């Protein structure tokens, strides 16, 4: 399905707080693989909808620059993302309308901000921060890309990088209570030849399930609990490559009101390659 521009700056805003950009709209369809055991779309499935919409954005100035060889070789790397499920929804074949804008533009990174709705009802919101990396590290964004991104940025959005408030303990093995071993699969690898950032979300799902089994079912009956995450906030610190054996550390706390919070991190040996926060309704 196609891409359409919806009213931008200077037009009346929708009163739904998740419809924050209203600049580019894309329709995607719900796939069976997007659903969890409850029959609703999982947070990972919703993250795929947001990715589908981002991939369809046209950055025409930057694409022309790259096409004529005016920009050095680069990789597009995600350094952080947030996805929140606002409602249990989604059946195979449903049309999801995703709205995408740009929240921040920095010297070497920018942040998408998105929302998605089914039949007019908001079901998810999220953001993703991207850097362009060359052979020697992050590249300064070219003027052509900044111009394209600025067209997708609302006039009252601050042009400053996101703040990482996580403490240094999140990168240390001793911070975590349990570890789930995982081996990278070839199906997890993307065009950049590392384990895709969406595949890493499924690793965090695995660690939450393993933690829940060990905590709630210590007798070893191995009843699979339906504790699917409702939200993820993820920081990507290093490349997770194939082949490789990894461990996902987890630390859980009971927030009350039938809600659990998980602190998670991916380790290879003592190296922390990324960490995440997850919220689960029990």
């Amino acid at each position: 399905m196609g891409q359409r521009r919806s009213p931008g700056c200077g037009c009346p805003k929708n009163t739904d707080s998740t419809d924050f950009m209203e600049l580019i709209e894309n329709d995607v369809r719900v796939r069976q693989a997007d659903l969890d055991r409850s029959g609703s779309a999982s947070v990972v499935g919703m993250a795929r909808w947001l990715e589908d919409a981002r991939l369809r954005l046209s950055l025409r100035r930057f694409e022309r620059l790259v096409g004529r060889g005016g920009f050095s070789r680069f990789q597009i790397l995600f350094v952080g993302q947030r996805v929140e499920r606002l409602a249990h929804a989604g059946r195979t074949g449903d049309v999801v309308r995703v709205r995408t804008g740009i929240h921040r533009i920095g010297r070497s990174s920018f942040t998408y901000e998105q929302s998605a709705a089914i039949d007019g009802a908001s079901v998810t919101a999220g953001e993703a921060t991207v850097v362009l990396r060359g052979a020697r590290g992050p590249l300064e964004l070219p003027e052509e890309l900044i111009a394209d991104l600025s067209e997708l940025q609302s006039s009252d959005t601050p042009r400053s990088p996101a703040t990482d408030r996580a403490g240094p303990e999140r990168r240390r093995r001793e911070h975590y209570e349990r570890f789930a071993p995982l081996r990278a699969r070839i199906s997890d690898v993307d065009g950049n030849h590392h384990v895709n950032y969406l595949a890493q979300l499924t690793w965090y799902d695995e660690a939450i399930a393993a933690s829940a089994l060990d905590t709630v079912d210590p007798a070893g009956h191995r009843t699979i609990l339906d504790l699917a995450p409702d939200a993820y906030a993820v920081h990507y610190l290093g490349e997770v490559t194939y082949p490789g054996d990894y461990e996902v550390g987890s630390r859980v706390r009971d927030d009350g009101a039938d809600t659990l919070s998980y602190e998670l991190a991916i380790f290879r040996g003592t190296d922390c390659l990324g960490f995440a926060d997850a919220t689960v309704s029990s």
Side-chain angles (χ1 to χ4, degrees):
M1 296 187 178
Q3 170 179 296
R4 47 176 82 77
R5 286 184 179 270
S6 58
C9 302
C11 297
K13 300 250 184 173
N14 191 300
T15 57
D16 187 330
S17 62
T18 62
D19 293 336
F20 24 63
M21 287 298 172
E22 300 192 332
L23 289 176
I24 297 293
E25 292 182 346
N26 283 285
D27 290 343
V28 299
R29 287 196 180 273
V30 178
R31 295 148 293 197
Q32 183 65 33
D34 296 334
L35 308 183
D36 61 20
R37 294 184 301 281
S38 71
S40 296
S42 66
V43 172
V44 177
M46 291 177 170
R48 292 192 192 103
W49 303 343
L50 304 184
E51 180 188 45
D52 284 351
R54 292 193 298 268
L55 291 174
R56 298 183 196 181
L57 286 183
S58 175
L59 302 172
R60 60 189 187 279
R61 299 179 186 87
F62 181 57
E63 290 165 4
R64 286 198 297 267
L65 176 68
V66 173
R68 65 174 183 263
F71 193 63
S72 59
R73 292 174 62 91
F74 66 94
Q75 289 181 314
I76 299 173
L77 296 180
F78 282 78
V79 296
Q81 72 165 327
R82 176 184 59 82
V83 185
E84 180 181 5
R85 177 165 58 185
L86 303 177
H88 287 266
R91 297 172 299 177
T92 303
D94 280 353
V95 175
V96 183
R97 178 152 297 177
V98 182
R99 290 172 173 165
T100 304
I102 300 299
H103 182 47
R104 301 179 185 90
I105 304 173
R107 292 188 61 185
S108 60
S109 67
F110 58 94
T111 300
Y112 297 97
E113 193 155 9
Q114 297 177 280
S115 66
I118 297 176
D119 294 330
S122 294
V123 296
T124 187
E127 62 181 37
T129 300
V130 173
V131 299
L132 304 184
R133 192 184 73 175
R136 298 183 178 180
L139 300 171
E140 187 170 335
L141 303 183
E143 292 181 2
E144 291 84 351
L145 178 55
I146 292 174
D148 286 333
L149 296 173
S150 296
E151 289 184 351
L152 304 175
Q153 187 179 34
S154 66
S155 59
D156 57 352
T157 300
R159 296 169 66 97
S160 60
T163 301
D164 180 0
R165 294 184 172 86
E169 71 279 359
R170 295 297 304 275
R171 307 179 187 217
R172 300 172 185 155
R173 287 183 62 92
E174 56 268 25
H175 179 72
Y176 300 94
E177 301 166 333
R178 293 176 178 81
F179 288 87
L182 285 167
R183 174 167 290 181
R185 301 161 296 187
I186 189 62
S187 59
D188 295 334
V189 178
D190 61 17
N192 283 333
H193 303 289
H194 59 229
V195 174
N196 182 265
Y197 68 98
L198 288 180
Q200 291 180 45
L201 282 185
T202 68
W203 289 18
Y204 291 128
D205 274 357
E206 292 278 355
I208 289 172
S211 176
L213 286 171
D214 290 341
T215 303
V216 181
D217 196 9
H221 297 128
R222 315 311 285 173
T223 301
I224 299 177
L225 302 174
D226 192 12
L227 292 179
D230 296 305
Y232 271 118
V234 186
H235 297 265
Y236 302 95
L237 304 177
E239 292 187 65
V240 180
T241 56
Y242 174 90
D245 291 309
Y246 299 88
E247 292 178 287
V248 182
S250 63
R251 181 186 181 99
V252 62
R253 71 172 184 269
D254 187 342
D255 293 332
D258 299 324
T259 300
L260 301 175
S261 293
Y262 283 84
E263 294 181 350
L264 305 146
I266 296 175
F267 287 91
R268 190 168 192 175
T270 59
D271 293 333
C272 181
L273 301 175
F275 60 88
D277 294 284
T279 303
V280 175
S281 297
S282 58

